[in-house]
Amino acid sequence: MLRETLSKRGVRVITGLGKYFRQLDKSRNGFLSQADFKEALKLFHLEVPEGDFESLWLILDHSKTDKVDYGEFIRAVVGEMNEYRKAFVRKAYMKLDFNKTGSVPMIDIRKCYCAK
């Protein structure tokens, strides 16, 4: 139900939710508590009935740590990249990896990319 609601809301809501998750994650470990996760959903007007939320939480917190990996949640909602997008990302990465080392230092990214 939540995935369907999010897919109808569009990319801005999903990216905004991801950004908000990162802001809530004070320890920068990629995980959110149940209270933070619930707060984020409420802020983005994605209220889930309590019984449904408990079921959702049980699915998301499969390791029973009382925390949810918000990156995994976003990937579950958005889904995997299609082959066209994967090919596009590989092509961009190959251009950034000047030395063909398999990793791209930030200085090489700055040579090719300007966020302005």
Side-chain angles (χ1 to χ4, degrees):
M1 179 178 80
L2 183 60
R3 181 187 294 174
E4 186 178 309
T5 302
L6 277 168
S7 68
K8 289 178 183 175
R9 299 281 292 281
V11 174
R12 285 188 175 188
V13 170
I14 294 171
T15 55
L17 189 58
K19 184 177 179 181
Y20 188 68
F21 284 162
R22 287 187 297 277
Q23 288 173 351
L24 286 175
D25 182 13
K26 302 296 184 210
S27 63
R28 302 282 184 241
N29 64 2
F31 290 89
L32 292 178
S33 69
Q34 186 174 6
D36 285 343
F37 185 72
K38 192 180 279 191
E39 176 189 329
L41 292 180
K42 192 175 288 187
L43 182 76
F44 282 82
H45 306 288
L46 299 165
E47 286 93 6
V48 178
E50 192 60 39
D52 292 344
F53 182 83
E54 292 302 322
S55 298
L56 174 65
W57 187 257
L58 288 173
I59 293 167
L60 295 173
D61 184 25
H62 50 83
S63 60
K64 307 293 183 240
T65 60
D66 289 328
K67 299 213 178 280
V68 65
D69 179 334
Y70 58 83
E72 190 175 302
F73 170 75
I74 295 293
R75 283 188 295 280
V77 169
V78 174
E80 292 294 320
M81 282 194 277
N82 62 33
E83 288 306 313
Y84 174 78
R85 287 179 64 204
K86 285 180 185 177
F88 192 79
V89 170
R90 278 189 217 102
K91 186 176 178 181
Y93 187 82
M94 288 169 57
K95 287 188 178 211
L96 290 171
D97 188 13
F98 297 117
N99 302 325
K100 307 297 181 221
T101 60
S103 65
V104 180
M106 189 56 75
I107 195 154
D108 288 349
I109 293 172
R110 284 188 184 117
K111 289 177 187 175
C112 297
Y113 179 74
C114 176
K116 293 179 185 177

